[in-house]
């Protein structure tokens, strides 16, 4: 059974940084595009960032562009999201997901999902 397990969330002050990790198992990691989504209370889940199978192509939503960096390590079957200059509006549960169709910015492409990790940014 494929598993995606996020970690690295927590409570941080406005302007702080966090690094999220998503360790995958029983997934042909190199065959999947990967993405980070987030969902705040009362809001729909939204794409934060996506990365291609090789890591050569990346996408960032406007609200994180210049602050967040997505990366992947094939040797460790792990996806990362480095978050800097965090703002209170970044508070959400962050999910990693795997897309069998490769690089994708659409929610429907993603087949496998993690359970999420909470990120809370205080003022």
């Amino acid at each position: 059974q494929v598993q995606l397990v996020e970690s690295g969330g927590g409570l941080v002050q406005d302007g702080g940084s966090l690094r999220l990790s998503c360790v995958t198992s029983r997934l042909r990691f190199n065959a999947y595009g990967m993405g980070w989504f987030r969902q705040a209370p009362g809001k729909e889940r939204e794409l934060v960032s996506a990365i291609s199978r090789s890591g050569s192509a990346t996408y960032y939503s406007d609200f994180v562009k210049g602050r967040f960096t997505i990366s992947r390590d094939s040797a460790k079957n792990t996806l990362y999201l480095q978050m800097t200059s965090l703002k209170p509006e970044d508070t959400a549960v962050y999910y990693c997901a795997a897309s069998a169709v490769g690089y994708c910015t659409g929610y429907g492409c993603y087949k496998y999902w993690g359970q999420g990790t909470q990120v809370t940014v205080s003022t």
Side-chain angles (χ1 to χ4, degrees):
Q1 182 178 351
V2 171
Q3 287 189 316
L4 283 67
V5 180
E6 303 96 335
S7 63
L11 175 64
V12 64
Q13 288 189 331
D14 190 355
S17 299
L18 284 173
R19 187 195 196 202
L20 304 185
S21 299
C22 172
V23 177
T24 71
S25 57
R26 290 179 285 279
L27 179 77
R28 288 179 56 228
F29 189 68
N30 288 343
Y32 286 79
M34 300 295 293
W36 286 100
F37 289 76
R38 72 185 186 186
Q39 187 167 20
K43 295 188 177 181
E44 292 187 353
R45 194 170 297 189
E46 60 184 358
L47 176 67
V48 174
S49 183
I51 189 167
S52 62
R53 294 179 177 105
S54 66
S56 61
T58 57
Y59 167 86
Y60 297 95
S61 294
D62 287 344
F63 49 80
V64 304
K65 201 171 292 183
R67 300 189 296 124
F68 291 10
T69 303
I70 191 171
S71 62
R72 60 190 298 162
D73 185 335
S74 295
K76 297 181 179 180
N77 293 333
T78 301
L79 177 73
Y80 300 100
L81 186 68
Q82 178 68 49
M83 306 187 294
T84 63
S85 302
L86 282 161
K87 306 174 182 180
E89 51 264 43
D90 293 318
T91 295
V93 177
Y94 283 71
Y95 300 88
C96 70
S99 164
V101 301
Y103 181 70
C104 182
T105 59
Y107 182 92
C109 300
Y110 290 86
K111 181 177 182 180
Y112 299 110
W113 293 83
Q115 83 291 347
T117 185
Q118 176 71 46
V119 171
T120 303
V121 184
S122 64
T123 56

